[in-house]
Amino acid sequence: MGGKILSVASECVPLIKTGGLADVVGALPAALAPLGWEMRVLLPAYRSLRRLFEEAPEAWPEVWHEENLWGGDGRVRAGTVDGTEVLLLDAPHLYDREGGPYVGPWGDWIDNPRRFAALSWVAACIAREGLAGWKPDVLHAHDWQAGYAPAYLAYHGNGGCRSVITVHNIAFQGWAPVSQIDDLRLPGWAFHPAALEYYGGLSSLKAGLVTADRITTVSPGYAAELARPEFGLGLQGVIVERAAVVSGILNGVDTAVWSPEVEDVNPYSAKSMTGKAAARAALCAEFGLEVPGPLAILVSRLTDQKGVDLLPAALPAFIEGGGGLAVLGSGAAEMEAALHDLAARYPGRVSVRIGYDEGLSHRMFQGGDAVLVPSRFEPCGLTQLYGLRYGTVPVVAAVGGLADTVINASPMALAAGVATGVTFWPTDELGLSQALRRLLALHADRKGWTRLVRNGMAQQLGWEVSARAYAALYDGLLA
Ligand code: ADP
Ligand code: GLC
């Protein structure tokens, strides 16, 4: 069928990224275009993005305006970035600030509920009324930052536009005190448990979940997990209540960016792996490592979700068995400190870079033998997919999208020749150390290892299949 989609999010590659949300929001428009769906992406004009329209105002005409968008002018400017049609919400009083999208020099911005209510409000206005010559059929909201957009459509009229919300991570719920209900332009009559009320306050994510026409999340496994308290984290009741409209659609990989064949330095393919050996040597030199056994990498936000705190207990036996670890990440100060301690304890075997570095992350996937993803929960996860693609064997906790995408090297899977990695459960120190022990054994068997690597590299990880699933979802909404 096909039609027009307004995608609303706080992150989008290549413009602004703190995690996988940005990869997915950035990849969807190009993936959906061949299927007849024209997707435009609405984003806040953060300080780092303002140069786009300040340097080339003629390329970014104003297409929408509200005089008092929570205390200042809100203008939407339309332009194109790498072939994607982007709508930037220019509201300097909300977004022209130093720091990241959510966090300033002193922590989370205290007006985050308003900042993202404003984004959602503008999305709902565009969805309801359209822009000159462009009226969306579906509003597609991502995560808590866009959660109020379906709610505004539901409470203030939808103008015929349907809505979808995608949960990339249910742990972030967009909480605000109920005293803000009027300020957030939400109806007081909807403050009850079946609608906006959430543990005595407001949650933009819950608001989206109760009002959107469809709910998706980024893997079938996580969709099922969300109905349980330990994964739903307070919102499991809403998920169960709306089970009939909940589905899981696995994220894809942007293979134009994430493929060993397209790397400028040390490219390789399953057929010719010499580039990978060279990349490994270069990576060891860059990190100051000398590793006789498997070189594991970890590229991650350093938060409780990611299970990085399990490493100090699980790593020693792996190191003694010949393994090594290169880490790239940033986040919680105590996790950064614990990683530095490990590096000091195992010089030449463990090395850590704190920070965010896209180029280095590519070199790590190229040069590593294995990638660790010991998450406590993982809605989809992208780094295990990059690992598969680069022949860097994933060692993952068997949760959410990790369990959906990695085939554990069990005796049966090995015998059938289909294994692609190592999975373990539960996510605890014992689980991770046993997984690392299995990694050592698998790596020691050269023929078996080659098979494992090849199987991973042969997986179909592009967006084609998932784009068709989104297209079918939109079709179903408009039928
Ligand atoms: P999440 O979105 O929960 O952080 P994902 O696995 O979905 O987890 O996505 C993480 C994305 O961010 C991947 O593209 C990964 O390569 C990237 N990433 C995470 N930390 C860093 C870092 N320190 N430097 C570069 N890229 C990083
Ligand atoms: C979230 C999740 C991650 C997922 C990403 C993109 O950040 O933590 O698992 O891959 O969103 O959907």
Side-chain angles (χ1 to χ4, degrees):
M1 193 151 62
K4 298 184 177 65
I5 314 281
L6 177 65
S7 177
V8 194
S10 58
E11 302 186 21
C12 177
V13 157
L15 294 173
I16 176 85
K17 167 168 167 176
T18 73
L21 169 68
D23 294 288
V24 175
V25 173
L28 277 176
L32 285 163
L35 304 174
W37 294 93
E38 185 200 333
M39 180 177 269
R40 298 190 182 179
V41 184
L42 176 69
L43 287 171
Y46 304 111
R47 176 167 294 179
S48 60
L49 304 185
R50 300 187 59 80
R51 59 175 170 78
L52 289 171
F53 51 79
E54 283 171 355
E55 283 168 14
E58 67 295 342
W60 289 87
E62 181 181 316
V63 295
W64 187 90
H65 179 218
E66 179 172 317
E67 246 167 50
N68 186 5
L69 188 72
W70 277 274
D73 274 306
R75 297 173 202 281
V76 174
R77 303 182 188 278
T80 306
V81 177
D82 289 358
T84 294
E85 297 190 65
V86 173
L87 301 167
L88 286 178
L89 175 54
D90 173 13
H93 58 296
L94 298 172
Y95 309 122
D96 185 8
R97 303 179 184 182
E98 63 181 301
Y102 323 114
V103 181
W106 301 284
D108 280 10
W109 297 110
I110 52 165
D111 59 348
N112 273 347
R114 272 184 164 197
R115 295 174 71 229
F116 293 102
L119 176 72
S120 304
W121 178 263
V122 173
C125 291
I126 294 173
R128 187 186 300 121
E129 293 145 25
L131 301 169
W134 195 80
K135 170 98 172 57
D137 303 296
V138 178
L139 179 155
H140 191 152
H142 297 272
D143 268 355
W144 71 270
Q145 297 91 338
Y148 285 135
Y152 292 137
L153 290 181
Y155 298 133
H156 299 279
N158 68 13
C161 187
R162 312 303 304 278
S163 63
V164 176
I165 186 163
T166 294
V167 179
H168 296 263
N169 194 333
I170 211 160
F172 301 103
Q173 304 185 340
W175 197 83
V178 63
S179 55
Q180 292 186 15
I181 194 164
D182 293 338
D183 181 61
L184 295 175
R185 304 185 183 177
L186 295 164
W189 59 260
F191 189 73
H192 59 83
L196 293 177
E197 190 272 347
Y198 189 57
Y199 292 98
L202 299 166
S203 152
S204 57
L205 184 58
K206 176 177 173 181
L209 294 175
V210 294
T211 53
D213 294 312
R214 295 285 186 280
I215 298 169
T216 74
T217 186
V218 287
S219 69
Y222 193 59
E225 287 171 348
L226 286 179
R228 297 177 189 276
E230 61 272 35
F231 291 101
L233 304 175
L235 287 166
Q236 63 277 3
V238 181
I239 296 292
V240 170
E241 181 70 28
R242 301 219 61 204
V245 298
V246 176
S247 62
I249 301 176
L250 215 48
N251 289 333
V253 164
D254 185 348
T255 51
V257 177
W258 290 100
S259 289
E261 293 87 349
V262 305
E263 297 289 349
D264 289 334
V265 182
N266 296 322
Y268 59 90
S269 68
K271 283 204 196 83
S272 157
M273 295 286 279
T274 45
K276 187 162 180 72
R280 188 187 190 280
L283 187 64
C284 284
E286 183 168 359
F287 273 86
L289 292 171
E290 219 169 300
V291 181
L295 169 61
I297 63 162
L298 185 127
V299 179
S300 185
R301 294 185 292 117
L302 303 177
T303 68
D304 197 50
Q305 173 189 346
K306 301 295 181 177
V308 178
D309 52 296
L310 305 174
L311 285 171
L315 216 52
F318 178 63
I319 302 295
E320 274 144 40
L325 176 68
V327 179
L328 169 63
S330 65
E334 70 277 9
M335 291 186 201
E336 297 183 357
L339 289 168
H340 281 308
D341 282 352
L342 274 176
R345 219 162 106 200
Y346 299 107
R349 286 298 196 84
V350 177
S351 184
V352 176
R353 296 282 179 282
I354 297 301
Y356 187 92
D357 187 334
E358 195 88 17
L360 178 55
S361 74
H362 279 255
R363 295 197 291 284
M364 292 173 73
F365 285 104
Q366 284 180 280
D369 296 313
V371 55
L372 307 186
V373 198
S375 305
R376 293 196 164 79
F377 64 93
E378 197 60 74
C380 179
L382 295 174
T383 58
Q384 85 282 11
L385 302 180
Y386 302 153
L388 291 169
R389 191 114 189 119
Y390 281 76
T392 306
V393 173
V395 177
V396 306
V399 292
L402 300 175
D404 282 349
T405 54
V406 178
I407 303 174
N408 183 39
S410 67
M412 299 301 265
L414 286 172
V418 297
T420 62
V422 176
T423 73
F424 66 94
W425 195 85
T427 307
D428 59 13
E429 290 168 353
L430 183 60
L432 178 58
S433 46
Q434 287 173 335
L436 290 174
R437 192 184 302 274
R438 282 160 60 209
L439 175 63
L440 287 171
L442 288 164
H443 187 260
D445 164 19
R446 293 316 298 175
K447 252 177 100 182
W449 182 260
T450 303
R451 185 78 198 256
L452 202 58
V453 166
R454 289 228 174 103
N455 287 347
M457 294 180 85
Q459 299 294 304
Q460 293 303 310
L461 303 174
W463 268 103
E464 297 77 10
V465 173
S466 300
R468 280 201 295 276
Y470 279 110
L473 179 89
Y474 302 145
D475 276 336
L477 265 179
L478 301 184

